[in-house]
Amino acid sequence: MRNIIEIENVTKHYGAFAALSDIDLAIGEGEVVCVIGPSGSGKSTLIRCINLLESYSDKGSIRVDGIPVQPGPTLGQVRAEVGMVFQSFNLFPHMSVLKNVMLAPMRVRRTPAAEAATKARELLARVGIAEQADKFPGQLSGGQQQRVAIARALAMEPKVLLFDEPTSALDPEMVGEVLDVMRQLAGTGVTMVVVTHEMGFARQVADRVIFMDGGRIVETGTPAQIFDTPKEQRTRNFLSAVLNH
């Protein structure tokens, strides 16, 4: 398996606070990686550095599909290949659901409107909300809005999908519908990096689980290794607190 994301020695500070410390991580093409850990451990900062939503100029390098992630002419190439789904849905409230999904392919890839609309309707069907195409985001539930956000990310046909705690802003009864869509995606061969508090999802879907704390990768392994036989005491303490909550 070739690596599609390569992170070497990445360090990021906010003033004196080290949000990331010497992160080394390679993610293979088609791999599903779940990143877990306590709040403030650096999980979201890490994935936001992958498409330079956060700069990491302190130290280190990141490459996506061999392209350096850095300010300048190659950044657009990277962002065209990396889809992102956020905690808050970040949809354009004045545009219909269909137009939200059509926008990036038309703007970035110069896809003709008719072709973009056809593709957008296919993607909305794929995430189970074809009938919502002509509504506006404010008319949808949180779970439906997050599924629109996933369809929008898929519309660019990205090589990598990043999810930053995609269910944390949802009411509990809506979490399952979004996780179901993500489970289906995980079976399609797209590379996924998922920051999540949903331990059951990580155990079921991930090829690899990464536990972070204090801006560092503490432990990495298969779901069985991390959840059943973690090596590090810090991992054991975290899982004990989370799973017995």
Side-chain angles (χ1 to χ4, degrees):
M1 184 191 336
R2 78 183 186 96
N3 291 330
I4 193 158
I5 300 172
E6 296 167 302
I7 301 171
E8 293 179 4
N9 202 27
V10 164
T11 296
K12 177 175 175 61
H13 283 83
Y14 295 107
F17 173 70
L20 298 173
S21 298
D22 296 319
I23 299 287
D24 285 302
L25 178 63
I27 295 173
E29 197 169 29
E31 194 176 11
V32 178
V33 175
C34 285
V35 186
I36 64 170
S39 295
S41 59
K43 310 181 300 293
S44 292
T45 302
L46 176 62
I47 68 163
R48 289 171 71 89
C49 285
I50 293 172
N51 60 358
L52 214 64
L53 289 176
E54 296 267 7
S55 66
Y56 61 95
S57 52
D58 296 4
K59 200 166 70 166
S61 68
I62 300 177
R63 288 183 299 280
V64 173
D65 205 15
I67 304 167
V69 179
Q70 59 194 27
T74 59
L75 184 57
Q77 286 175 262
V78 170
R79 287 184 173 163
E81 303 297 352
V82 179
M84 181 110 184
V85 179
F86 300 88
Q87 286 181 42
S88 52
F89 323 119
N90 290 14
L91 300 172
F92 293 109
H94 62 287
M95 288 186 179
S96 70
V97 163
L98 186 70
K99 290 208 165 127
N100 264 281
V101 180
M102 290 168 60
L103 184 64
M106 289 173 63
R107 283 236 179 122
V108 179
R109 299 216 192 272
R110 303 282 183 257
T111 306
E115 185 183 328
T118 300
K119 174 81 176 181
R121 288 187 188 280
E122 286 171 8
L123 288 170
L124 291 170
R126 185 169 160 190
V127 299
I129 48 171
E131 72 287 354
Q132 309 294 346
D134 297 319
K135 290 186 181 174
F136 289 87
Q139 297 173 282
L140 306 186
S141 71
Q144 288 171 328
Q145 289 187 60
Q146 193 60 293
R147 286 188 278 166
V148 176
I150 293 171
R152 180 183 58 184
L154 289 170
M156 287 290 286
E157 299 181 352
K159 292 177 180 170
V160 175
L161 273 175
L162 307 176
F163 294 85
D164 187 5
E165 299 188 16
T167 58
S168 65
L170 299 178
D171 292 334
E173 67 268 22
M174 294 174 186
V175 168
E177 65 189 57
V178 172
L179 292 179
D180 284 344
V181 170
M182 292 171 65
R183 280 190 193 95
Q184 291 163 17
L185 286 178
T188 65
V190 67
T191 307
M192 291 170 60
V193 185
V194 185
V195 171
T196 185
H197 292 297
E198 300 290 339
M199 299 299 143
F201 174 82
R203 181 191 278 274
Q204 183 184 13
V205 174
D207 297 308
R208 187 160 42 129
V209 176
I210 292 168
F211 172 64
M212 289 186 70
D213 189 37
R216 297 179 181 274
I217 293 176
V218 175
E219 189 165 355
T220 179
T222 65
Q225 287 168 332
I226 296 296
F227 288 108
D228 299 334
T229 55
K231 293 181 187 149
E232 301 294 329
Q233 186 62 44
R234 182 68 191 93
T235 315
R236 290 198 286 274
N237 291 348
F238 170 77
L239 290 172
S240 172
V242 171
L243 297 175
N244 298 326
H245 182 60

